[in-house]
Amino acid sequence: MATLINELKVIGDVEDFERITAGITEYMRQQPGYVGHRMLRSLRRPGVFVEIAEWEKPEDHVRAVQSEGFRSRVQELAGVIEKPTPDLYELVHDSAPVQAA
């Protein structure tokens, strides 16, 4: 499993950002190896979002972002966000809350 984590700083209209990223997410949902996606918004910095996407394999994500369908959609974000900082991560450990008996 590979996890994409991407911080996005909106410098344009937040509604435009949300519309464009919803379209990108819909496209990515159709790509092989896509598992899921979440978009989080900072409570202290309302123009900062963090995208978290799960992929079966790193290669699946790389293939998807190299596609013309992705590139044409992501170009719409020019002028709406600063340069994003995406990176793929692997799980090192996971902790769930302790269940009361």
Side-chain angles (χ1 to χ4, degrees):
M1 182 83 67
T3 301
L4 169 80
I5 300 177
N6 190 11
E7 182 176 274
L8 303 155
K9 295 179 182 175
V10 177
I11 57 173
D13 185 73
V14 171
E15 288 182 13
D16 286 344
F17 168 77
E18 290 176 343
R19 177 186 48 77
I20 294 165
T21 55
I24 294 169
T25 299
E26 189 55 38
Y27 174 78
M28 296 303 257
R29 288 180 64 200
Q30 300 169 31
Q31 303 311 303
Y34 174 90
V35 175
H37 177 267
R38 292 185 296 159
M39 182 74 77
L40 308 172
R41 186 175 191 174
S42 173
L43 294 173
R44 289 186 309 113
R45 302 173 294 153
V48 176
F49 293 77
V50 174
E51 169 185 35
I52 302 170
E54 300 287 343
W55 292 84
E56 289 178 9
K57 298 179 288 198
E59 307 84 56
D60 294 330
H61 176 261
V62 171
R63 189 178 318 100
V65 298
Q66 290 177 345
S67 71
E68 182 56 39
F70 174 80
R71 288 196 306 249
S72 65
R73 286 167 176 82
V74 82
Q75 286 176 357
E76 294 181 57
L77 288 172
V80 177
I81 63 169
E82 290 181 359
K83 186 174 185 230
T85 57
D87 204 353
L88 287 171
Y89 295 82
E90 64 182 353
L91 181 65
V92 176
H93 64 82
D94 194 2
S95 177
V98 177
Q99 299 295 321

